[in-house]
PDB file of all heavy atoms in Angstrom:
ATOM      1  N   VAL A 427      -3.860  14.399   7.501  1.00 98.00           N
ATOM      2  CA  VAL A 427      -2.677  13.549   7.348  1.00 98.00           C
ATOM      3  C   VAL A 427      -1.510  14.140   8.139  1.00 98.00           C
ATOM      4  O   VAL A 427      -1.152  15.310   7.951  1.00 98.00           O
ATOM      5  CB  VAL A 427      -2.267  13.410   5.863  1.00 98.00           C
ATOM      6  CG1 VAL A 427      -1.088  12.460   5.729  1.00 98.00           C
ATOM      7  CG2 VAL A 427      -3.447  12.928   5.036  1.00 98.00           C
ATOM      8  N   ALA A 428      -0.900  13.340   8.993  1.00 98.00           N
ATOM      9  CA  ALA A 428       0.237  13.784   9.797  1.00 98.00           C
ATOM     10  C   ALA A 428       1.492  13.949   8.931  1.00 98.00           C
ATOM     11  O   ALA A 428       1.620  13.316   7.878  1.00 98.00           O
ATOM     12  CB  ALA A 428       0.509  12.788  10.919  1.00 98.00           C
ATOM     13  N   PRO A 429       2.441  14.776   9.387  1.00 98.00           N
ATOM     14  CA  PRO A 429       3.653  15.029   8.588  1.00 98.00           C
ATOM     15  C   PRO A 429       4.436  13.779   8.219  1.00 98.00           C
ATOM     16  O   PRO A 429       4.908  13.650   7.089  1.00 98.00           O
ATOM     17  CB  PRO A 429       4.482  15.956   9.494  1.00 98.00           C
ATOM     18  CG  PRO A 429       3.490  16.596  10.406  1.00 98.00           C
ATOM     19  CD  PRO A 429       2.385  15.604  10.597  1.00 98.00           C
ATOM     20  N   ALA A 430       4.593  12.852   9.162  1.00 98.00           N
ATOM     21  CA  ALA A 430       5.464  11.693   8.935  1.00 98.00           C
ATOM     22  C   ALA A 430       4.902  10.710   7.923  1.00 98.00           C
ATOM     23  O   ALA A 430       5.654   9.895   7.364  1.00 98.00           O
ATOM     24  CB  ALA A 430       5.731  10.972  10.258  1.00 98.00           C
ATOM     25  N   ILE A 431       3.605  10.763   7.665  1.00 98.00           N
ATOM     26  CA  ILE A 431       2.982   9.801   6.747  1.00 98.00           C
ATOM     27  C   ILE A 431       3.562   9.928   5.340  1.00 98.00           C
ATOM     28  O   ILE A 431       3.852   8.945   4.665  1.00 98.00           O
ATOM     29  CB  ILE A 431       1.456  10.001   6.692  1.00 98.00           C
ATOM     30  CG1 ILE A 431       0.837   9.977   8.093  1.00 98.00           C
ATOM     31  CG2 ILE A 431       0.810   8.943   5.799  1.00 98.00           C
ATOM     32  CD1 ILE A 431       0.992   8.693   8.828  1.00 98.00           C
ATOM     33  N   ARG A 432       3.752  11.165   4.896  1.00 98.00           N
ATOM     34  CA  ARG A 432       4.158  11.407   3.497  1.00 98.00           C
ATOM     35  C   ARG A 432       5.548  10.863   3.192  1.00 98.00           C
ATOM     36  O   ARG A 432       5.885  10.646   2.027  1.00 98.00           O
ATOM     37  CB  ARG A 432       4.063  12.896   3.183  1.00 98.00           C
ATOM     38  CG  ARG A 432       4.940  13.793   4.021  1.00 98.00           C
ATOM     39  CD  ARG A 432       4.326  15.180   4.186  1.00 98.00           C
ATOM     40  NE  ARG A 432       3.172  15.110   5.075  1.00 98.00           N
ATOM     41  CZ  ARG A 432       2.203  16.016   5.125  1.00 98.00           C
ATOM     42  NH1 ARG A 432       2.246  17.062   4.320  1.00 98.00           N
ATOM     43  NH2 ARG A 432       1.199  15.872   5.955  1.00 98.00           N
ATOM     44  N   ALA A 433       6.350  10.612   4.209  1.00 98.00           N
ATOM     45  CA  ALA A 433       7.708  10.093   4.000  1.00 98.00           C
ATOM     46  C   ALA A 433       7.792   8.582   4.156  1.00 98.00           C
ATOM     47  O   ALA A 433       8.862   8.008   3.963  1.00 98.00           O
ATOM     48  CB  ALA A 433       8.675  10.760   4.970  1.00 98.00           C
ATOM     49  N   ALA A 434       6.666   7.929   4.491  1.00 98.00           N
ATOM     50  CA  ALA A 434       6.715   6.486   4.753  1.00 98.00           C
ATOM     51  C   ALA A 434       5.625   5.703   4.031  1.00 98.00           C
ATOM     52  O   ALA A 434       5.781   4.509   3.783  1.00 98.00           O
ATOM     53  CB  ALA A 434       6.605   6.227   6.265  1.00 98.00           C
ATOM     54  N   PHE A 435       4.511   6.360   3.684  1.00 98.00           N
ATOM     55  CA  PHE A 435       3.365   5.638   3.133  1.00 98.00           C
ATOM     56  C   PHE A 435       3.712   4.867   1.872  1.00 98.00           C
ATOM     57  O   PHE A 435       3.209   3.761   1.644  1.00 98.00           O
ATOM     58  CB  PHE A 435       2.226   6.625   2.859  1.00 98.00           C
ATOM     59  CG  PHE A 435       0.929   5.970   2.503  1.00 98.00           C
ATOM     60  CD1 PHE A 435       0.193   5.288   3.450  1.00 98.00           C
ATOM     61  CD2 PHE A 435       0.432   6.031   1.196  1.00 98.00           C
ATOM     62  CE1 PHE A 435      -1.017   4.680   3.117  1.00 98.00           C
ATOM     63  CE2 PHE A 435      -0.765   5.438   0.856  1.00 98.00           C
ATOM     64  CZ  PHE A 435      -1.500   4.759   1.826  1.00 98.00           C
ATOM     65  N   GLY A 436       4.577   5.412   1.047  1.00 98.00           N
ATOM     66  CA  GLY A 436       4.939   4.745  -0.196  1.00 98.00           C
ATOM     67  C   GLY A 436       5.551   3.374  -0.005  1.00 98.00           C
ATOM     68  O   GLY A 436       5.459   2.513  -0.895  1.00 98.00           O
ATOM     69  N   GLU A 437       6.169   3.143   1.157  1.00 98.00           N
ATOM     70  CA  GLU A 437       6.786   1.839   1.418  1.00 98.00           C
ATOM     71  C   GLU A 437       5.769   0.704   1.357  1.00 98.00           C
ATOM     72  O   GLU A 437       6.102  -0.436   1.024  1.00 98.00           O
ATOM     73  CB  GLU A 437       7.470   1.851   2.786  1.00 98.00           C
ATOM     74  CG  GLU A 437       8.660   2.806   2.869  1.00 98.00           C
ATOM     75  CD  GLU A 437       9.146   3.011   4.291  1.00 98.00           C
ATOM     76  OE1 GLU A 437       9.122   2.048   5.084  1.00 98.00           O
ATOM     77  OE2 GLU A 437       9.538   4.147   4.630  1.00 98.00           O
ATOM     78  N   GLU A 438       4.509   1.013   1.696  1.00 98.00           N
ATOM     79  CA  GLU A 438       3.456  -0.003   1.653  1.00 98.00           C
ATOM     80  C   GLU A 438       3.090  -0.392   0.225  1.00 98.00           C
ATOM     81  O   GLU A 438       2.383  -1.368  -0.008  1.00 98.00           O
ATOM     82  CB  GLU A 438       2.212   0.508   2.383  1.00 98.00           C
ATOM     83  CG  GLU A 438       2.386   0.673   3.898  1.00 98.00           C
ATOM     84  CD  GLU A 438       2.354  -0.663   4.626  1.00 98.00           C
ATOM     85  OE1 GLU A 438       1.973  -1.681   3.996  1.00 98.00           O
ATOM     86  OE2 GLU A 438       2.707  -0.691   5.822  1.00 98.00           O
ATOM     87  N   PHE A 439       3.598   0.376  -0.749  1.00 98.00           N
ATOM     88  CA  PHE A 439       3.275   0.116  -2.153  1.00 98.00           C
ATOM     89  C   PHE A 439       4.526  -0.113  -3.000  1.00 98.00           C
ATOM     90  O   PHE A 439       4.499   0.040  -4.221  1.00 98.00           O
ATOM     91  CB  PHE A 439       2.452   1.277  -2.717  1.00 98.00           C
ATOM     92  CG  PHE A 439       1.114   1.413  -2.054  1.00 98.00           C
ATOM     93  CD1 PHE A 439       0.990   2.182  -0.899  1.00 98.00           C
ATOM     94  CD2 PHE A 439       0.011   0.746  -2.526  1.00 98.00           C
ATOM     95  CE1 PHE A 439      -0.235   2.302  -0.250  1.00 98.00           C
ATOM     96  CE2 PHE A 439      -1.218   0.855  -1.889  1.00 98.00           C
ATOM     97  CZ  PHE A 439      -1.340   1.630  -0.745  1.00 98.00           C
ATOM     98  N   GLY A 440       5.621  -0.464  -2.324  1.00 97.00           N
ATOM     99  CA  GLY A 440       6.829  -0.827  -3.045  1.00 97.00           C
ATOM    100  C   GLY A 440       7.801   0.291  -3.315  1.00 97.00           C
ATOM    101  O   GLY A 440       8.856   0.069  -3.915  1.00 97.00           O
ATOM    102  N   TYR A 441       7.479   1.505  -2.900  1.00 98.00           N
ATOM    103  CA  TYR A 441       8.425   2.602  -3.076  1.00 98.00           C
ATOM    104  C   TYR A 441       9.595   2.442  -2.108  1.00 98.00           C
ATOM    105  O   TYR A 441       9.457   1.864  -1.020  1.00 98.00           O
ATOM    106  CB  TYR A 441       7.750   3.945  -2.794  1.00 98.00           C
ATOM    107  CG  TYR A 441       6.841   4.440  -3.896  1.00 98.00           C
ATOM    108  CD1 TYR A 441       5.477   4.181  -3.863  1.00 98.00           C
ATOM    109  CD2 TYR A 441       7.343   5.180  -4.959  1.00 98.00           C
ATOM    110  CE1 TYR A 441       4.630   4.644  -4.853  1.00 98.00           C
ATOM    111  CE2 TYR A 441       6.505   5.659  -5.957  1.00 98.00           C
ATOM    112  CZ  TYR A 441       5.147   5.378  -5.905  1.00 98.00           C
ATOM    113  OH  TYR A 441       4.316   5.832  -6.884  1.00 98.00           O
ATOM    114  N   ALA A 442      10.740   2.984  -2.493  1.00 98.00           N
ATOM    115  CA  ALA A 442      11.912   2.944  -1.628  1.00 98.00           C
ATOM    116  C   ALA A 442      11.667   3.798  -0.389  1.00 98.00           C
ATOM    117  O   ALA A 442      10.998   4.840  -0.465  1.00 98.00           O
ATOM    118  CB  ALA A 442      13.138   3.458  -2.378  1.00 98.00           C
ATOM    119  N   PRO A 443      12.178   3.384   0.764  1.00 98.00           N
ATOM    120  CA  PRO A 443      12.045   4.219   1.967  1.00 98.00           C
ATOM    121  C   PRO A 443      12.571   5.629   1.706  1.00 98.00           C
ATOM    122  O   PRO A 443      13.589   5.811   1.043  1.00 98.00           O
ATOM    123  CB  PRO A 443      12.907   3.483   2.992  1.00 98.00           C
ATOM    124  CG  PRO A 443      12.891   2.058   2.555  1.00 98.00           C
ATOM    125  CD  PRO A 443      12.876   2.121   1.058  1.00 98.00           C
ATOM    126  N   GLY A 444      11.844   6.612   2.229  1.00 97.00           N
ATOM    127  CA  GLY A 444      12.252   7.999   2.021  1.00 97.00           C
ATOM    128  C   GLY A 444      11.677   8.636   0.782  1.00 97.00           C
ATOM    129  O   GLY A 444      11.993   9.783   0.458  1.00 97.00           O
ATOM    130  N   THR A 445      10.789   7.925   0.078  1.00 98.00           N
ATOM    131  CA  THR A 445      10.128   8.498  -1.090  1.00 98.00           C
ATOM    132  C   THR A 445       8.940   9.337  -0.634  1.00 98.00           C
ATOM    133  O   THR A 445       8.060   8.847   0.082  1.00 98.00           O
ATOM    134  CB  THR A 445       9.635   7.404  -2.049  1.00 98.00           C
ATOM    135  OG1 THR A 445      10.749   6.595  -2.455  1.00 98.00           O
ATOM    136  CG2 THR A 445       8.977   8.014  -3.276  1.00 98.00           C
ATOM    137  N   LEU A 446       8.891  10.581  -1.040  1.00 98.00           N
ATOM    138  CA  LEU A 446       7.773  11.456  -0.687  1.00 98.00           C
ATOM    139  C   LEU A 446       6.590  11.197  -1.622  1.00 98.00           C
ATOM    140  O   LEU A 446       6.750  11.194  -2.844  1.00 98.00           O
ATOM    141  CB  LEU A 446       8.201  12.920  -0.770  1.00 98.00           C
ATOM    142  CG  LEU A 446       9.167  13.387   0.321  1.00 98.00           C
ATOM    143  CD1 LEU A 446       9.820  14.713  -0.064  1.00 98.00           C
ATOM    144  CD2 LEU A 446       8.436  13.518   1.658  1.00 98.00           C
ATOM    145  N   VAL A 447       5.416  10.994  -1.046  1.00 98.00           N
ATOM    146  CA  VAL A 447       4.224  10.706  -1.851  1.00 98.00           C
ATOM    147  C   VAL A 447       3.073  11.632  -1.437  1.00 98.00           C
ATOM    148  O   VAL A 447       1.910  11.239  -1.462  1.00 98.00           O
ATOM    149  CB  VAL A 447       3.807   9.226  -1.716  1.00 98.00           C
ATOM    150  CG1 VAL A 447       4.851   8.306  -2.343  1.00 98.00           C
ATOM    151  CG2 VAL A 447       3.583   8.850  -0.248  1.00 98.00           C
ATOM    152  N   THR A 448       3.398  12.863  -1.075  1.00 98.00           N
ATOM    153  CA  THR A 448       2.410  13.789  -0.526  1.00 98.00           C
ATOM    154  C   THR A 448       1.226  13.980  -1.453  1.00 98.00           C
ATOM    155  O   THR A 448       0.057  13.854  -1.038  1.00 98.00           O
ATOM    156  CB  THR A 448       3.074  15.155  -0.241  1.00 98.00           C
ATOM    157  OG1 THR A 448       4.301  14.952   0.463  1.00 98.00           O
ATOM    158  CG2 THR A 448       2.156  16.026   0.589  1.00 98.00           C
ATOM    159  N   GLY A 449       1.486  14.296  -2.721  1.00 98.00           N
ATOM    160  CA  GLY A 449       0.410  14.571  -3.659  1.00 98.00           C
ATOM    161  C   GLY A 449      -0.435  13.354  -3.969  1.00 98.00           C
ATOM    162  O   GLY A 449      -1.671  13.439  -4.068  1.00 98.00           O
ATOM    163  N   GLN A 450       0.197  12.218  -4.152  1.00 98.00           N
ATOM    164  CA  GLN A 450      -0.547  10.985  -4.405  1.00 98.00           C
ATOM    165  C   GLN A 450      -1.421  10.614  -3.216  1.00 98.00           C
ATOM    166  O   GLN A 450      -2.527  10.086  -3.373  1.00 98.00           O
ATOM    167  CB  GLN A 450       0.432   9.844  -4.689  1.00 98.00           C
ATOM    168  CG  GLN A 450       1.178   9.946  -6.005  1.00 98.00           C
ATOM    169  CD  GLN A 450       2.364   9.006  -6.042  1.00 98.00           C
ATOM    170  OE1 GLN A 450       3.446   9.354  -5.586  1.00 98.00           O
ATOM    171  NE2 GLN A 450       2.167   7.824  -6.576  1.00 98.00           N
ATOM    172  N   LEU A 451      -0.925  10.884  -2.029  1.00 98.00           N
ATOM    173  CA  LEU A 451      -1.670  10.584  -0.808  1.00 98.00           C
ATOM    174  C   LEU A 451      -2.972  11.384  -0.754  1.00 98.00           C
ATOM    175  O   LEU A 451      -4.044  10.845  -0.446  1.00 98.00           O
ATOM    176  CB  LEU A 451      -0.788  10.903   0.404  1.00 98.00           C
ATOM    177  CG  LEU A 451      -1.259  10.504   1.795  1.00 98.00           C
ATOM    178  CD1 LEU A 451      -1.608   9.033   1.866  1.00 98.00           C
ATOM    179  CD2 LEU A 451      -0.174  10.838   2.814  1.00 98.00           C
ATOM    180  N   ALA A 452      -2.882  12.673  -1.077  1.00 98.00           N
ATOM    181  CA  ALA A 452      -4.083  13.503  -1.088  1.00 98.00           C
ATOM    182  C   ALA A 452      -5.092  12.985  -2.115  1.00 98.00           C
ATOM    183  O   ALA A 452      -6.309  12.924  -1.845  1.00 98.00           O
ATOM    184  CB  ALA A 452      -3.710  14.954  -1.393  1.00 98.00           C
ATOM    185  N   THR A 453      -4.605  12.568  -3.269  1.00 98.00           N
ATOM    186  CA  THR A 453      -5.486  12.037  -4.308  1.00 98.00           C
ATOM    187  C   THR A 453      -6.139  10.733  -3.863  1.00 98.00           C
ATOM    188  O   THR A 453      -7.346  10.526  -4.072  1.00 98.00           O
ATOM    189  CB  THR A 453      -4.693  11.805  -5.606  1.00 98.00           C
ATOM    190  OG1 THR A 453      -4.076  13.029  -6.003  1.00 98.00           O
ATOM    191  CG2 THR A 453      -5.591  11.292  -6.718  1.00 98.00           C
TER     192      THR A 453
END
């Protein structure tokens, strides 16, 4: 997973921009 993914991936699931989802992403 690239660095920038963890700061943007949550937007695809309704999270506010800038929400970090690093741990959920790994899961």
